[in-house]
Amino acid sequence: NGVIPRFGHIFQNGNILIAFSQNIDLSTDNLSTLNEITVKAIDGSDYVGGTNSFYKIIHNPPIFVNEKEMFIFGTYSTKTGVAHDNINVFYSVDNGATIKSCYKAGVTNPPLLGARHIHATNYRSYDDTYWVTTGDNESPYTGEANVIKGSYNWETDVWTWSKVAGDLDAGCTYKIVSIYFPDADTAIC
């Protein structure tokens, strides 16, 4: 219908996830059909975002833990004046059948950090942690960045988060994007 997809992901089982500006669809039959899925907000309710909730998606390759695939991605906004407006980290552990928010900037407490962008979502396999970098809250400076670390409990479907570094409101305007973890012996984070 002339609507341009914003991103797509093919799961290992063949499901195809396609995000548009304000909704996400899933095909389980090689694109013969597309069905809109209900995205869940951080509190478990149906996610209600704006017209550009999924306009720009930041994602890394899928993660495989105990032979299960997790797809995790963040949203990125260019909107100014409103910190953490629809900025979430979303994930799926069931091949795209459900998409849930596991972190919402300015809301998830701890670590309760404002942001206008998710810059990256990275996985550190040797301790089974998820590292997210954020950027640009609405302080007088616009380059603030934070690094947060998450842990996921596969049995209870519960996330825990903690701040690792950043929140530089004192005028430092650097950016942090992806974090590279080569292996357990050489990683410094």
Side-chain angles (χ1 to χ4, degrees):
N1 296 330
V3 180
I4 300 171
R6 305 314 305 176
F7 88 104
H9 174 72
I10 302 173
F11 288 90
Q12 189 175 45
N13 76 342
N15 287 1
I16 301 172
L17 191 72
I18 299 175
F20 299 92
S21 290
Q22 51 189 351
N23 64 286
I24 298 180
D25 291 1
L26 181 69
S27 175
T28 59
D29 56 11
N30 201 28
L31 296 178
S32 293
T33 59
L34 276 176
N35 297 300
E36 184 174 345
I37 61 172
T38 301
V39 177
K40 295 296 183 180
I42 191 74
D43 64 1
S45 64
D46 291 354
Y47 177 72
V48 179
T51 56
N52 287 312
S53 296
F54 306 110
Y55 179 77
K56 188 169 183 182
I57 301 296
I58 306 301
H59 63 97
N60 296 90
I63 298 158
F64 294 91
V65 178
N66 299 325
E67 300 182 9
K68 291 187 75 173
E69 181 176 2
M70 175 185 283
F71 183 61
I72 184 168
F73 64 92
T75 54
Y76 187 101
S77 174
T78 56
K79 182 177 180 181
T80 59
V82 181
H84 55 77
D85 182 40
N86 292 322
I87 303 303
N88 287 264
V89 176
F90 293 100
Y91 73 106
S92 178
V93 292
D94 57 7
N95 301 303
T98 56
I99 302 289
K100 301 176 184 178
S101 174
C102 59
Y103 180 84
K104 180 169 174 54
V107 173
T108 302
N109 190 17
L112 194 58
L113 302 169
R116 286 194 298 123
H117 318 299
I118 299 298
H119 283 165
T121 59
N122 299 105
Y123 177 66
R124 189 162 75 173
S125 61
Y126 51 84
D127 65 355
D128 195 27
T129 56
Y130 302 80
W131 294 66
V132 174
T133 55
T134 72
D136 290 355
N137 65 40
E138 295 297 327
S139 77
Y141 304 97
T142 59
E144 302 84 356
N146 290 288
V147 179
I148 57 176
K149 178 173 75 170
S151 297
Y152 177 67
N153 186 315
W154 286 84
E155 293 178 9
T156 62
D157 191 31
V158 172
W159 288 83
T160 55
W161 294 97
S162 61
K163 177 179 154 184
V164 176
D167 203 19
L168 302 172
D169 287 329
C172 182
T173 57
Y174 73 89
K175 301 282 187 180
I176 301 173
V177 289
S178 292
I179 300 173
Y180 174 62
F181 301 109
D183 59 51
D185 296 326
T186 61
I188 59 172
C189 288

